[in-house]
């Protein structure tokens, strides 16, 4: 299996999959430097700090160093990212544990090849090279990151293959899976106000009129709250999850996002079948099928990880993270 050098390099620099795990049989003992344990595998504060350093560098380059004190849903970006990193490191160890049960064999030569390609990219940038040295991002750490990434790729590939194997189920999903939806919303800043408006909607008051009179999203309010058609990956996660779970004509409960409190109504759902009926070309249909399969793979991956969490003893110690 050839490693995807660009993906590995990009991943390491962004730090999204910058997970590094060490461990041995420790029984019930929790080492002082552990920020998490998955069964008897230890995630150390040293590896956590190295991983966060990579994320911090990337965020600073993209958003500037003032990003960390900004607040999202009542917590600073720094606290949010630190929490997400710890959870991601736990997930990565769960994935490694699961893949190790299979026939997957990762050769040292493959890791070495990926490491060589990665370092060739790092060596071209003196600032990056200096950063890696200063933060102790040494060969052992980088190789563990590469190993984790390759295990995750195998994990995703296995889930995708299982989905592709059941063609009948896929064909049925193509008929019902929402590719994009048309939705309207009412957005307000206070939860109490949102709940009051939701009661009016449920009592039969006109959604469009309520949006026009109350929504702070003025662009959509002038159209009765309509946001038009949009695919997955466009709206903030909380909004998307709620909206894509609704049927045509259904209204959500109050949904909180970083923008405030939403009441969402779905006006239209487009599936592969409706797009074909509307005249979508064959090449477009294939793109949509790949998108659906990718989304289903992501959903199955999340569900599988939740199952693995329940089957394992997971301990986290966030108070040890500064």
């Amino acid at each position: 299996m050839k490693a995807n050098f660009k993906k590995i390099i990009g991943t390491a620099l962004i730090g999204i999959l910058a997970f590094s795990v060490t461990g041995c049989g420790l029984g019930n003992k929790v080492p002082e430097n552990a920020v998490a344990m998955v069964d008897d595998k230890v995630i150390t504060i040293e590896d956590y700090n190295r991983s966060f350093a990579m994320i911090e560098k990337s965020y600073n380059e993209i958003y500037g160093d003032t990003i960390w004190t900004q607040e999202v849903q009542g917590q600073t970006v720094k606290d949010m990212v630190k929490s997400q990193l710890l959870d991601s490191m736990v997930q990565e160890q769960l994935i490694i544990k699961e893949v190790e049960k299979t026939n997957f064999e990762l050769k040292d030569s493959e890791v070495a090849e990926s490491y060589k390609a990665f370092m060739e990219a790092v060596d071209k940038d003196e600032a990056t090279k200096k950063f890696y040295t200063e933060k102790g991002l040494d060969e052992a750490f980088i190789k563990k990151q590469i190993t984790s990434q390759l295990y995750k790729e195998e994990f995703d590939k296995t889930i995708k293959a299982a989905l592709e194997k059941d063609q009948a189920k896929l064909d049925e999903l193509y008929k019902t899976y929402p590719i994009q939806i048309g939705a309207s919303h009412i957005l307000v800043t206070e939860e109490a106000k949102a709940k009051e408006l939701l009661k009016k909607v449920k009592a039969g008051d006109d959604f469009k009129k309520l949006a026009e009179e109350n929504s702070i999203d003025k662009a959509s309010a002038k159209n009765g709250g309509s946001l038009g058609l949009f695919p997955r990956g466009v709206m903030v996660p909380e909004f998307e999850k709620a909206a894509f779970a609704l049927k045509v004509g259904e209204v959500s409960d109050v949904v909180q996002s970083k923008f405030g409190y939403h009441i969402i109504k779905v006006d239209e759902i487009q599936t592969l079948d409706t797009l074909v009926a509307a005249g979508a070309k064959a090449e477009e249909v294939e793109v949509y099928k790949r998108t659906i399969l990718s989304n289903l793979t992501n959903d199955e991956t999340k569900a599988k990880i939740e199952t693995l969490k329940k089957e394992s003893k997971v301990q986290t110690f966030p108070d040890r993270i500064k």
Side-chain angles (χ1 to χ4, degrees):
M1 179 178 67
K2 279 282 186 180
N4 186 330
F5 298 151
K6 289 184 178 180
K7 185 173 182 180
I8 290 170
I9 291 169
T11 298
L13 290 175
I14 296 299
I16 299 303
L17 289 174
F19 313 122
S20 188
V21 182
T22 59
C24 57
L26 296 171
N28 294 319
K29 295 181 181 179
V30 178
E32 292 183 1
N33 68 336
V35 292
M37 289 188 67
V38 179
D39 293 328
D40 64 347
K41 301 294 183 181
V42 180
I43 300 172
T44 69
I45 186 63
E46 292 81 10
D47 283 345
Y48 178 93
N49 287 338
R50 291 186 186 103
S51 298
F52 182 77
M54 297 175 73
I55 297 175
E56 185 176 39
K57 180 177 184 294
S58 296
Y59 267 62
N60 288 345
E61 290 173 350
I62 297 169
Y63 305 110
D65 58 12
T66 59
I67 184 66
W68 300 106
T69 55
Q70 294 181 28
E71 290 199 0
V72 179
Q73 294 185 350
Q75 63 176 335
T76 64
V77 170
K78 187 170 186 177
D79 287 341
M80 180 184 70
V81 171
K82 280 182 171 287
S83 176
Q84 288 176 346
L85 175 60
L86 183 59
D87 187 53
S88 295
M89 293 178 81
V90 168
Q91 289 182 27
E92 192 69 9
Q93 181 55 28
L94 290 167
I95 287 171
I96 291 172
K97 174 186 170 185
E98 183 67 12
V99 174
E100 283 178 341
K101 297 176 184 177
T102 70
N103 299 337
F104 179 69
E105 181 181 353
L106 181 59
K107 297 179 180 178
D108 291 342
S109 58
E110 187 175 354
V111 176
E113 185 181 8
S114 298
Y115 174 75
K116 180 182 177 183
F118 177 79
M119 290 311 299
E120 285 175 355
V122 171
D123 288 341
K124 291 177 182 178
D125 187 328
E126 285 301 320
T128 301
K129 189 175 179 180
K130 181 181 178 183
F131 169 79
Y132 271 64
T133 301
E134 289 176 347
K135 297 298 182 180
L137 308 178
D138 56 14
E139 179 177 348
F141 176 77
I142 295 168
K143 282 186 174 180
K144 281 191 288 185
Q145 285 189 304
I146 291 169
T147 298
S148 294
Q149 172 64 15
L150 292 173
Y151 268 92
K152 185 178 186 303
E153 288 179 4
E154 177 65 18
F155 182 75
D156 291 343
K157 186 174 75 174
T158 301
I159 289 176
K160 183 180 178 183
L163 287 169
E164 290 177 316
K165 190 175 181 179
D166 193 344
Q167 190 60 50
K169 183 179 179 181
L170 271 181
D171 289 339
E172 187 60 33
L173 284 169
Y174 290 151
K175 297 176 183 178
T176 59
Y177 191 84
I179 293 175
Q180 57 183 9
I181 63 173
S184 302
H185 78 146
I186 303 170
L187 176 64
V188 294
T189 56
E190 297 178 358
E191 185 178 15
K193 178 68 173 178
K195 288 181 176 180
E196 176 189 333
L197 290 169
L198 181 58
K199 285 183 181 179
K200 291 183 178 182
V201 171
K202 289 184 174 181
D205 285 21
D206 185 69
F207 190 97
K208 290 183 178 180
K209 187 176 180 181
L210 289 173
E212 289 169 358
E213 295 175 348
N214 297 278
S215 183
I216 62 172
D217 179 4
K218 299 304 179 184
S220 67
K222 65 183 181 182
N223 295 314
S226 177
L227 297 163
L229 285 165
F230 54 88
R232 297 171 190 269
V234 172
M235 302 300 183
V236 290
E238 304 87 353
F239 187 101
E240 178 179 305
K241 182 179 179 180
F244 275 84
L246 297 171
K247 297 177 181 177
V248 173
E250 283 189 334
V251 176
S252 72
D253 289 330
V254 173
V255 177
Q256 184 183 6
S257 80
K258 65 182 180 181
F259 298 108
Y261 297 89
H262 309 258
I263 302 167
I264 307 165
K265 181 181 179 182
V266 168
D267 306 311
E268 179 184 358
I269 294 176
Q270 291 191 342
T271 66
L272 189 60
D273 276 7
T274 59
L275 290 168
V276 169
K281 297 179 180 178
E283 53 268 30
E284 291 178 292
V285 171
E286 288 307 312
V287 171
Y288 286 131
K289 284 184 177 181
R290 288 196 294 272
T291 300
I292 292 172
L293 183 58
S294 176
N295 290 336
L296 290 171
T297 300
N298 289 336
D299 292 344
E300 287 291 320
T301 297
K302 291 176 184 177
K304 180 64 176 178
I305 287 173
E306 288 305 310
T307 299
L308 294 176
K309 280 183 180 179
K310 293 175 183 177
E311 295 174 349
S312 303
K313 183 179 179 181
V314 176
Q315 301 175 79
T316 59
F317 312 101
D319 55 313
R320 297 181 177 182
I321 300 168
K322 295 180 181 180

